[in-house]
Amino acid sequence: MKYKQLIAKMTLEEKASLMSGKDFWQSQDIERLGINSIFLADGPHGIRRQAVSSDKLGLNAGLPATCYPTAATVANSWNAELGERVGEYLGEEAISQKVNVLLGPGINMKRNPLCGRNFEYFSEDPYLTGKMAASYIRGIQSHGVSACVKHFAVNNQEERRMSIDTIVDERTLREIYLTAFEIAVKEGNTKSIMSSYNKLNGTYTNENLHLMKDILRGEWGYNGTVITDWGGSNDRVAGLIAGNELEMPSTSGETDKEIIEAIKNGTIDESVLDECVDRLLELIYSTEGVYQNPRVDFNIERHHRVSQKVAEESIVLLKNEGNILPLPFGKRVAVIGDFAKDARYQGAGSSIVNPTILDHTLDCFEESGILSIGYEPGFERYGKKSPKKVAAACALAKEADVVLLYIGLDEVTEAEGLDRQSMMIPDNQIELLNALHEVNPNIIAIVSCGSAIEMPWIPKVKGLLHGYLGGQAGARAILRVLSGDVNPSGKLAETYPLHYRDTPSYQNFPGGEVSVEYREGLYIGYRYYDTAEVDVLFPFGYGLSYTTFEYSDIRVQEYGVTFKLTNSGNVAGMEVAQLYVGCQSKDIFRPKKELKGFVKVFINAGETKTITIPFDDKTFRYFNVETNQWEIEEANYEIMVGASSADIKLSKSFFVKGTGAPLPYEKEKLPSYYSGKAQDVSIEEFETLIGREVPVATWDRSKPLGYNDTLAQCQYAKGVSARIAYYSIIFSFWFLKKIGKRNTANMIMMSIYHLPFRGIARMTGGLVNMPMLDGILLMVNGHFFKGLRKFLRERKKKLLIVK
C-alpha cells in the first residue's frame, strides 16, 4: 500500500468516514491528518458545478462553463485526437472551477435507440466507444484532475435503472459491454470509475465480485477508485468487500457505522478497509493540485471556438440529392423551425451545462454568407399542433429558392431517468414538412437530437444534415457546413434502422418489471443488421462529403492492413476509413463483421495517401466460455476496409493461427445465434446460452415491499396511503405535462417513480435514515399507525443525536 504509514495513524472511525461523502458533492476530509475533501462534478460534455452549496442535491444551475458537443455527437467525428482535445479543455475548466473529479465520460453501449440517455454515450460499438473514451480520459487527466468513467456496467436503459436486473451471457458481457471499459482502463488509465445502479445477473454491480474483483481488479489490473452513482449503494459492506471505495452522496455517517460494526464482528477484515482507503487517498493526492494551485480563469472565447471546431467535424451529411448542398451564393433561403430560433444543443438531466456563450442560427446568418429572406417557427416546440404557424411557414417557403427546415427532438424527450416512447419526431413537425413540400420541394432538413430516429419522411427532403447535439457553438457550425465553408466529415456512430421494430432488442426492451434479458446476445447495432441481412436507413459509419474518395491497393501483413486513399473530387476533405474483420469459420457464432480499427485522414483534392491501420490484441479475439478467457480461433479472416459497415471498398483473406481452445458451444442448440437472426430468441435457447434458468421477470405481489422495491410498486401495496401516494405521483406527472411543465413532470418520473425505497435514505443526505425508512415500509405494507410511530420515534432519536 502506498499510504500505509498515513493509514496507520487513522482511527477505525476515520477510515470508515472516508468511504462516504461529506455532503452531496464532496468527499470526507480529515483535518488533523491534512487529508482534504475532493469535489466531484457532473460533466461528460461540460462542467456542471452547481452554483448552490455542495450540501444541495438536484439539477440546479451550474456555474457558467463551455458546453461542448455531447459524446453521441463527438463519436461521429471518429477522431480520437479531437476527443483528447475536448478532454484537455474540459480538464482546464475543471481546474478553473476547483473540480477534482469530472463525472464522465459515459461509455455504455447503445443497445436500444430508445434509451433516454443515449445522447451521453458514444456508440453502439465497443471498440469505437473505448478509443474515444480513452482519448477523453487522457485529455482530462493531463491537467491533474480525474475522469470518472461511467456507468460500470450494462446500464443500457433508464426505466427502473436503480433496480433492474440485467441478464446477459458471459461472452456478450465481455465482448460487447465491457470492452470499452477495458480500453478506458488500460489505454486511458482512468483514475476513477462510477458503478451503475442496476444488478448484473442477480447482484448489484458495485457488489458484484465477478465484475469488480475478477475482471476489473484482477484481469485489468485496475488500482483506481470506484465511486457509486448517487444513491447507488445497496449493501455498503458488500460493496466494500467488492472494492467500492466511495459511496456518494453522504449518508451522515450511517453507513460508516455499518462498516465499523462489520469489522468489529469479524464480517470483514480491517485490511479490506485499509486497501480501499489507500486507493481513495491516491485519488485525493493525485488531484490535489486543484486545491493547492490558485484559481485561473479559462479563455471563454478560445474554448467556444474549440467547441465549434468539434461540432463542425461531427456533423453528418446524410442526403444530398442533386448536390443541393453546399448552398450556392445568392440562393434565397427561408428559415423554418423552432430549433432555428432556440438551438437544441444538449441533453437533459445531470449533464445540463450552463453555457458561457450560446450561438443561435438566426444570429449567425450575416457572417455565413447565406441569404435569408425570413424566419417562421412553423411548429410548437413541444408537439402542440398550430395550423396558423404551418400556414405562415408555407407562405414564407413559397418566396424562397430553398427551405432550411430545423427539426428534431425537444429537451424533455431525451432525458436522464426516462426512455423515449418512440423513434419518431413529433407529428406536428412531420405535418409541417408535408405542407412545406407542397409549396417548395427544395427542402434541406437540419436535424437536432442525440440518438437515432425513424425518417419515413426522408423522400420529401433533398438535403439532410444531422447536427446531433452540437453544444453551444453548434448552430454556427451547421451554417458553416451548409455554406460550404466546412466540408462535412462526420460519420454515424450508430445504425439508423428503417423502423423501430427492426431493432435487435425490440422484443426485450425495457424488459420486465424486475429484469431485462439481453436475448440478442452479441448482435446489437450493425452486428445484427449485417449478419441477419436486415435493411437499414443509414448504416453504421455512414456519412457523405462534398468530395469523393477512392480506395485501392490493399495489403495485409502480420502487423496490420495498408491501402491507398485518394481524394478524387475537387474539394479538400477528411475521410474516415474503417477496418472490419470477419471470421470465415462457422464453428463459433460471430457477427458477419466487427469494427477493429479506424483512422480519419485529411486529403487535398487530387492527393493520394498511403494509410496503415494496425492490428491489436482485440483484432481476432473472442471470449471462450469454456476456458473462461480470451482466445483466437484458427481460421481465415476477411480483412475489410470501407467507408461504412455496408460500404466495403477493399477486402482480402488472411490466415490467423489460433490458440487451440475447445469449441464452447453445441451448434444445433443455438440456431438463432449461429444464423445471426437473434431478434426473437426463445427463452429455452437463451437459457442454453447463459447456462442457467432466467429469473422470473415480474414482481412477486404476495411479498411485502422492501428496500429494493420501487415507489412504482406502491400500486400493489397493502397500505391505502401508499396506493394513494402512487396515484398522486401518476396524476402529478399527467397534470404537469398537461400544463406544459414537462421538465418538472420528468423530474417526478426520474427522481421518484422509479426510485427504490432504499433511495429515500441514500439520496437525502441523511435526512431520512434506514430505521426511519423501516417505519415508512411498515406504513406502505398496511401497518400505517405502527409505521408512523416508528418513523416519528426514529426521527426523534436522530434529531437528539444531531443536537
Side-chain angles (χ1 to χ4, degrees):
M1 292 194 303
K2 188 174 181 179
Y3 301 97
K4 188 174 182 179
Q5 292 183 335
L6 178 58
I7 294 170
K9 297 177 182 177
M10 297 181 192
T11 65
L12 176 59
E13 288 73 19
E14 285 174 331
K15 287 187 284 190
S17 74
L18 290 174
M19 297 294 95
S20 63
K22 179 179 182 178
D23 49 34
F24 284 106
W25 300 107
Q26 295 184 95
S27 70
Q28 187 60 260
D29 60 329
I30 302 177
E31 190 174 342
R32 77 175 185 89
L33 295 174
I35 299 172
N36 295 309
S37 298
I38 55 174
F39 197 97
L40 304 92
D42 289 314
H45 60 270
I47 314 298
R48 192 183 76 88
R49 176 164 182 158
Q50 290 189 162
V52 300
S53 64
S54 60
D55 64 347
K56 299 290 191 296
L57 181 66
L59 304 182
N60 300 293
L63 299 171
T66 309
C67 181
Y68 296 93
T70 67
T73 311
V74 183
N76 293 333
S77 76
W78 291 66
N79 189 337
E81 291 180 2
L82 189 69
E84 187 161 345
R85 193 175 179 192
V86 173
E88 288 171 358
Y89 280 80
L90 285 169
E92 186 179 331
E93 293 191 33
I95 289 284
S96 174
Q97 294 199 16
K98 299 291 187 181
V99 170
N100 302 72
V101 179
L102 186 61
L103 302 176
I107 65 172
N108 295 103
M109 289 297 97
K110 295 185 179 183
R111 175 181 178 246
N112 186 283
L114 299 187
C115 175
R117 214 165 176 179
N118 275 351
F119 63 87
E120 274 191 60
Y121 302 140
F122 288 106
S123 176
E124 67 188 31
D125 181 82
Y127 191 87
L128 175 59
T129 296
K131 292 295 183 178
M132 293 301 296
S135 70
Y136 266 65
I137 295 161
R138 287 192 295 269
I140 291 167
Q141 296 187 168
S142 68
H143 287 276
V145 299
S146 172
C148 184
V149 174
K150 61 187 187 182
H151 308 89
F152 189 63
V154 289
N155 175 194
N156 309 107
Q157 66 186 62
E158 292 299 285
E159 187 169 318
R160 302 187 299 281
R161 61 178 178 167
M162 293 185 77
S163 59
I164 198 76
D165 186 6
T166 300
I167 311 301
V168 60
D169 69 283
E170 183 72 10
R171 183 178 169 202
T172 298
L173 174 68
R174 300 299 195 106
E175 293 187 21
I176 302 297
Y177 297 101
L178 294 186
T179 291
F181 286 99
E182 179 185 357
I183 296 171
V185 168
K186 292 182 176 180
E187 298 181 23
N189 294 309
T190 185
K191 294 179 181 179
S192 62
I193 290 175
M194 182 187 292
S195 58
S196 57
Y197 285 126
N198 54 284
K199 293 178 181 177
L200 169 59
N201 293 325
T203 306
Y204 281 100
T205 55
N206 75 313
E207 302 169 12
N208 193 304
L209 294 174
H210 179 53
L211 184 67
M212 296 275 285
K213 287 280 194 182
D214 298 343
I215 300 173
L216 178 63
R217 304 286 188 191
E219 294 180 25
W220 300 349
Y222 179 66
N223 291 314
T225 301
V226 176
I227 303 168
T228 68
D229 203 340
W230 268 235
S233 176
N234 168 51
D235 183 323
R236 187 64 192 100
V237 173
L240 194 74
I241 292 169
N244 171 198
E245 285 78 24
L246 182 58
E247 175 191 19
M248 292 297 291
S250 170
T251 60
S252 292
E254 183 173 20
T255 55
D256 303 348
K257 294 174 184 175
E258 294 175 11
I259 294 170
I260 293 166
E261 180 60 28
I263 290 170
K264 287 182 175 179
N265 66 25
T267 302
I268 56 174
D269 192 87
E270 193 167 349
S271 63
V272 173
L273 175 60
D274 290 347
E275 289 175 7
C276 288
V277 171
D278 190 70
R279 289 192 288 259
L280 180 61
L281 288 174
E282 176 60 19
L283 180 64
I284 292 170
Y285 287 119
S286 68
T287 63
E288 64 183 352
V290 169
Y291 41 74
Q292 286 184 347
N293 297 330
R295 183 181 183 277
V296 178
D297 290 329
F298 61 93
N299 187 316
I300 290 174
E301 287 290 342
R302 185 171 68 224
H303 284 226
H304 182 71
R305 289 194 298 272
V306 169
S307 180
Q308 179 181 317
K309 163 65 178 169
V310 174
E312 289 170 0
E313 201 169 315
S314 304
I315 291 167
V316 188
L317 178 61
L318 294 174
K319 186 177 181 180
N320 196 16
E321 183 181 321
N323 291 322
I324 195 170
L325 288 171
L327 288 168
F329 181 77
K331 283 282 186 182
R332 301 167 72 251
V333 305
V335 182
I336 296 171
D338 185 74
F339 296 148
K341 181 175 181 294
D342 294 308
R344 173 82 207 287
Y345 61 97
Q346 66 176 328
S350 63
S351 68
I352 290 178
V353 178
N354 181 12
T356 53
I357 302 170
L358 184 56
D359 291 338
H360 290 291
T361 302
L362 300 183
D363 301 326
C364 302
F365 265 100
E366 188 172 337
E367 68 183 66
S368 73
I370 299 173
L371 178 61
S372 169
I373 65 167
Y375 161 76
E376 287 291 341
F379 61 85
E380 295 280 354
R381 194 177 189 91
Y382 297 115
K384 186 178 179 181
K385 295 184 179 181
S386 173
K388 184 177 178 181
K389 288 190 175 183
V390 172
C394 288
L396 179 64
K398 286 179 183 178
E399 306 300 318
D401 298 320
V402 175
V403 175
L404 296 182
L405 177 61
Y406 285 76
I407 55 178
L409 298 175
D410 60 70
E411 294 83 352
V412 293
T413 298
E414 295 182 286
E416 178 182 351
L418 293 167
D419 294 320
R420 288 159 57 200
Q421 298 303 302
S422 87
M423 278 187 68
M424 300 292 287
I425 62 173
D427 289 342
N428 65 337
Q429 295 183 33
I430 297 173
E431 289 179 8
L432 169 64
L433 171 56
N434 292 335
L436 290 171
H437 187 262
E438 293 295 319
V439 299
N440 190 334
N442 296 318
I443 299 172
I444 299 168
I446 297 95
V447 176
S448 296
C449 59
S451 50
I453 56 174
E454 288 185 33
M455 301 182 188
W457 40 264
I458 199 169
K460 295 188 176 180
V461 302
K462 289 187 176 179
L464 178 58
L465 201 68
H466 203 327
Y468 267 71
L469 300 178
Q472 64 183 48
R476 179 177 273 108
I478 286 170
L479 287 175
R480 283 175 54 78
V481 172
L482 291 171
S483 69
D485 289 339
V486 171
N487 187 354
S489 62
K491 297 206 174 191
L492 294 175
E494 59 187 317
T495 307
Y496 275 56
L498 285 166
H499 309 286
Y500 176 59
R501 63 177 178 269
D502 296 333
T503 58
S505 56
Y506 174 72
Q507 307 280 6
N508 295 285
F509 182 91
E513 296 172 314
V514 173
S515 62
V516 55
E517 297 160 12
Y518 285 31
R519 294 197 194 183
E520 71 280 359
L522 301 173
Y523 300 101
I524 75 165
Y526 72 90
R527 285 170 166 80
Y528 167 72
Y529 300 113
D530 287 358
T531 310
E533 299 181 341
V534 175
D535 289 336
V536 300
L537 180 62
F538 295 116
F540 176 77
Y542 176 86
L544 301 175
S545 170
Y546 294 153
T547 190
T548 54
F549 297 94
E550 292 181 358
Y551 293 69
S552 63
D553 196 19
I554 185 172
R555 297 179 184 180
V556 181
Q557 295 176 295
E558 293 291 332
Y559 61 84
V561 60
T562 301
F563 55 96
K564 290 181 178 178
L565 187 58
T566 302
N567 184 338
S568 53
N570 300 316
V571 184
M574 301 179 80
E575 171 70 336
V576 178
Q578 303 157 39
L579 168 65
Y580 295 90
V581 174
C583 183
Q584 295 178 330
S585 166
K586 303 301 180 186
D587 290 337
I588 301 170
F589 68 82
R590 295 182 185 227
K592 184 177 182 179
K593 66 174 76 76
E594 296 183 280
L595 182 74
K596 298 297 181 179
F598 59 92
V599 62
K600 191 166 193 176
V601 188
F602 177 84
I603 310 180
N604 286 311
E607 182 183 10
T608 298
K609 288 188 175 181
T610 299
I611 309 299
T612 298
I613 302 179
F615 297 152
D616 61 20
D617 64 327
K618 297 168 185 66
T619 304
F620 302 107
R621 75 179 191 177
Y622 76 97
F623 192 82
N624 188 302
V625 294
E626 283 293 313
T627 63
N628 196 38
Q629 63 186 20
W630 295 101
E631 305 283 2
I632 294 175
E633 183 180 5
E634 186 164 306
N636 287 314
Y637 289 78
E638 187 176 6
I639 308 301
M640 296 165 273
V641 174
S644 79
S645 65
D647 186 12
I648 301 302
K649 303 291 189 181
L650 306 167
S651 68
K652 198 164 187 176
S653 182
F654 182 69
F655 176 77
V656 177
K657 186 172 177 58
T659 52
L663 294 178
Y665 305 113
E666 295 180 54
K667 190 173 183 177
E668 66 279 3
K669 293 183 178 181
L670 300 169
S672 301
Y673 299 106
Y674 274 88
S675 69
K677 297 177 180 179
Q679 191 197 49
D680 192 17
V681 177
S682 69
I683 189 169
E684 292 79 15
E685 187 176 353
F686 182 57
E687 288 181 337
T688 299
L689 179 70
I690 64 175
R692 62 185 185 280
E693 291 186 0
V694 298
V696 176
T698 53
W699 286 317
D700 185 349
R701 299 176 191 178
S702 66
K703 293 182 179 179
L705 298 183
Y707 295 141
N708 290 319
D709 294 311
T710 67
L711 272 64
Q713 290 166 265
C714 283
Q715 61 187 298
Y716 308 125
K718 292 181 180 178
V720 175
S721 59
R723 294 199 298 275
I724 291 172
Y726 167 79
Y727 288 109
S728 298
I729 293 169
I730 296 298
F731 175 78
S732 298
F733 176 72
W734 172 84
F735 181 73
L736 288 165
K737 283 188 70 175
K738 192 77 174 174
I739 64 174
K741 302 286 188 181
R742 295 181 67 187
N743 276 317
T744 308
N746 283 354
M747 280 291 294
I748 286 175
M749 299 304 284
M750 182 176 83
S751 304
I752 301 175
Y753 188 76
H754 292 304
L755 185 73
F757 281 96
R758 62 178 163 80
I760 297 173
R762 299 294 191 233
M763 291 289 281
T764 54
L767 290 177
V768 176
N769 60 21
M770 294 302 281
M772 291 162 67
L773 180 59
D774 289 336
I776 293 173
L777 283 170
L778 281 170
M779 288 188 273
V780 165
N781 288 311
H783 306 285
F784 181 81
F785 293 107
K786 183 179 180 181
L788 180 62
R789 285 194 299 271
K790 180 171 179 58
F791 177 85
L792 294 174
R793 184 167 63 249
E794 296 298 339
R795 182 174 179 272
K796 186 176 181 181
K797 284 183 189 176
K798 187 177 183 303
L799 292 174
L800 288 172
I801 292 171
V802 171
K803 288 180 181 180

